[in-house]
Amino acid sequence: MLVAGVDSSTQSTKVLLCQADDGAIVGQATAPHPDGTECDPELWWRALARAGDGLLSRADAIGVAAQQHGMVVVDEAGQVIRPALLWNDVRSAPQAAALIAEMGGPGSWARMTGSVPTASFTVTKLRWLAEHEPDAAARTAQVMLPHDWLTWRLGDRAHAPATDRGDASGTGYFSPAADRWLPELAEAALGKPARLPRLAAPAEVVARTPGGAALSAGTGDNMGAALGLGLGVGEVVVSIGTSGTAYAVAAQPAADESGAVAGFADATGRFLPLVATINAARVLTVTARMLGTDAEGLSRLALAAPPGAQGLTLLPYLDGERSPNRPGANGVLRGLTSTNTTQENLARAAVEAVLCSLADAIDNLADCGIAARRVILIGGAAKSEAVRRIAPVVFGVPVTVPEPAEYVALGAARQAAWALSGAAGAPSWPLAGTTLEFTGEPVPLIRGQYGALRDATIGWG
């Protein structure tokens, strides 16, 4: 039997067709999404149709994992009212601050929802909609997440929209600890009641396609990656893609009142405390473009410079930042001298900046009792030799890099296979290819000069 996994990310739709028993990939395709911080969901659907052509029709079951937090609002007829506001849209930062204050402060939010909402969270986008587009808010009958909407479309809109606890935990109106919606929070944000998707069990078949394929509950992209990697409790992952994330599977819910750690649920019934950054691989892409090179060229340049880039330090908050919560921040380059302004040092500073930002995220997990003994490094930037070799120097622990793969789509496919089987647990799928390990002597100078710049710029944005 065959199962399909869909990863509808910020940048593209990827589809994997896998054997249900062992996860072996028998087909795959991708289609791009437009760039930006909002998107008409219909464009995701078209990308899914293109990437899924010749693959989805062969699947006995389909699972969809997608970017978290995106606000999809539909009217009573099921029509999308406006383009979806995505996780990387920070226009709702003032609404996040207002909601936190209204509901009793960060501690109250952490206790209710496991997280303190930032501008990324759906609940803040609902408040922005109510304040800035009141007519659209008044028409809103139902609120969905990107994966909910795509699964609903795959079922030809014949079933009530459904979601899973993993993706629901990123909305700001769900309790991972109690496993239930908190509709009063959504209503307080939107200014009116709106329907929320039905919460499905991890291995539930929520609907079927017109062709008869089973549709699993789906999940968020980070939960999909954890499922695709087959993470065990306590294993720490750092993903460097469009966003940066550090997360681990946990047996108990998290409730970090500082707001640094989002207390998400995972896709299996457990929990997924996570720290997310807005600025990750794009920092490397922008730096490479500025230096007139590509990703491989940037890697070579970075490895030719010494640790610490001779005092050149980059704060990588190019598009505002979520962790730490600085939505109005910009990038800052510090320490320029007549001797250190080389291409090599700038490339090194960019790589170290991204890794230092994620090292801070690893420290945030440690504050919640999850200490990394090693880090599993995934994401597009994990292909960079410089990132692989500098990461253990910055993180201070060994780094393992599994074979590059579409782990989000693989996790969605694994969930589909689980739903198809009706078994008590997800099928055991071995990771394909070779896992590499990288070690290095920590260089405290790197994080020292990065931390000094980070702290000196508090209040700048």
Side-chain angles (χ1 to χ4, degrees), residues 77 79 90 125 132 139-140 142 148 202 251 263 275 322 346 407 427 440 452:
Q79 297 301 307
V90 296
K125 302 177 191 303
H132 291 268
R139 289 177 56 203
T140 298
Q142 178 136 26
D148 310 338
V275 183
R322 167 175 170 173
L346 184 54
Y407 287 106

Side-chain angles (χ1 to χ4, degrees), residues 114-126:
S115 304
V116 180
T118 65
S120 293
F121 280 66
T122 324
V123 69
T124 71
K125 302 177 191 303
L126 291 176

